[in-house]
Amino acid sequence: MGKRLLVFAIIFLSLLAFTLWRAQPPFRLHRKLLAKLPYSPDKLLVTDLDGDGHPEVTALQTDKPPIWVRFPFDKPSLLRFENCRLVWIEEYSRSILKTLPVLTTNKRLRLLKWKDGRVIFNLLPALLDVPEVPRNIFVRKGKGTGAVFLHVYRGLDAWVFTLTPQGHWKFASRFTRTVGFWEFSDRYIADLADLDRDGILDALCVQRQPIEDAWVFWGGRKEGETNLGA
């Protein structure tokens, strides 16, 4: 008798659970319009330009002013930074960017942030304040180490800044070569690592054309480099 009641109870509860499951409304995807942008962005960056600890979104398109999509009290607003253009970002990590590397109208490289209701343009540490060539500034992610770095080429020199996990840019090293190197578009810094374990990051550089070659530029050593060959 007891076993029959147990079997009956199991069957009854199973049918009841199935009936309740069938009675639930179907799954629906709810979409919320955050903002209408004046252009179709090439990239969307997760940023916290006002430093309030709440991430926002910054939309980017080549030769267009960056647009900051803010979310104050669940009411998104747009802010266009008309007086600057973001430098070219090939790839970056999932870090929330606290500042954006931009070029101002007079071609000065700055770190953009928002403070007390206005735009702030900060200088990059250890970098001379002179006009920049846009094509000589990149943000790239190292394929081997995953390090995200901003590099600035000027003649024989290259300045490199790394992105910290907290979303800030930190000066890493300066590299110098005796003859022209950085001005060629097919030569670039591919990754950073402390190869000689002296506490300073070194640069792995590659050249694609006419042949594939690689160099190590040693951080902290003036005009120090090692040709790794093809």
Side-chain angles (χ1 to χ4, degrees), residues 43-62:
K43 292 181 182 294
L44 292 175
L45 303 181
V46 180
T47 58
D48 184 16
L49 301 182
D50 53 6
D52 63 355
H54 300 287
E56 303 100 15
V57 174
T58 300
L60 312 171
Q61 190 187 64
T62 305

Side-chain angles (χ1 to χ4, degrees), residues 3-225:
K3 291 184 178 180
R4 291 182 178 179
L5 289 176
L6 179 60
V7 172
F8 175 78
I10 292 175
I11 295 175
F12 175 77
L13 292 175
S14 299
L15 291 175
L16 179 62
F18 178 77
T19 302
L20 293 176
W21 176 75
R22 291 289 297 175
Q24 294 294 323
F27 172 76
R28 297 183 183 277
L29 179 63
H30 296 281
R31 297 179 176 87
K32 180 179 180 180
L33 178 64
L34 294 181
K36 291 184 178 181
L37 300 177
Y39 58 72
S40 177
D42 297 327
K43 292 181 182 294
L44 292 175
L45 303 181
V46 180
T47 58
D48 184 16
L49 301 182
D50 53 6
D52 63 355
H54 300 287
E56 303 100 15
V57 174
T58 300
L60 312 171
Q61 190 187 64
T62 305
D63 296 329
K64 297 289 185 179
I67 298 179
W68 188 29
V69 184
R70 305 181 66 196
F71 309 105
F73 307 107
D74 292 331
K75 294 182 179 180
S77 62
L78 300 183
L79 181 63
R80 291 170 60 105
F81 300 118
E82 296 286 356
N83 54 346
C84 66
R85 297 293 184 272
L86 195 75
V87 303
W88 178 249
I89 296 182
E90 293 187 358
E91 190 176 0
Y92 83 109
S93 67
R94 297 183 180 272
S95 299
I96 299 175
L97 298 175
K98 298 298 179 66
T99 57
L100 290 176
V102 298
L103 279 174
T104 61
T105 53
N106 58 353
K107 296 184 179 180
R108 303 283 177 165
L109 182 60
R110 292 290 189 270
L111 294 178
L112 181 151
K113 65 179 300 183
W114 183 264
K115 185 177 181 180
D116 299 329
R118 65 189 184 94
V119 175
I120 302 294
F121 291 109
N122 291 330
L123 293 170
L124 276 82
L127 187 66
L128 297 176
D129 187 20
V130 299
E132 302 289 351
V133 180
R135 64 182 177 85
N136 291 342
I137 308 172
F138 296 91
V139 174
R140 179 176 282 120
K141 182 179 179 181
K143 299 299 183 183
T145 65
V148 177
F149 50 94
L150 164 69
H151 45 98
V152 183
Y153 300 152
R154 291 178 183 168
L156 304 181
D157 298 319
W159 283 260
V160 178
F161 304 84
T162 54
L163 182 65
T164 68
Q166 294 75 31
H168 298 286
W169 295 100
K170 177 183 178 182
F171 174 69
S173 192
R174 176 181 173 180
F175 305 99
T176 302
R177 183 173 165 87
T178 54
V179 295
F181 182 86
W182 312 112
E183 64 269 20
F184 296 97
S185 60
D186 58 344
R187 298 174 178 178
Y188 63 94
I189 297 176
D191 212 338
L192 298 174
D194 184 9
L195 300 177
D196 53 5
R197 300 185 180 181
D198 63 351
I200 302 176
L201 289 175
D202 310 303
L204 176 64
C205 304
V206 298
Q207 171 181 288
R208 293 178 177 174
Q209 300 293 336
I211 59 175
E212 292 187 354
D213 276 347
W215 291 263
V216 172
F217 285 80
W218 303 104
R221 303 182 191 176
K222 186 177 181 180
E223 301 176 358
E225 64 190 70

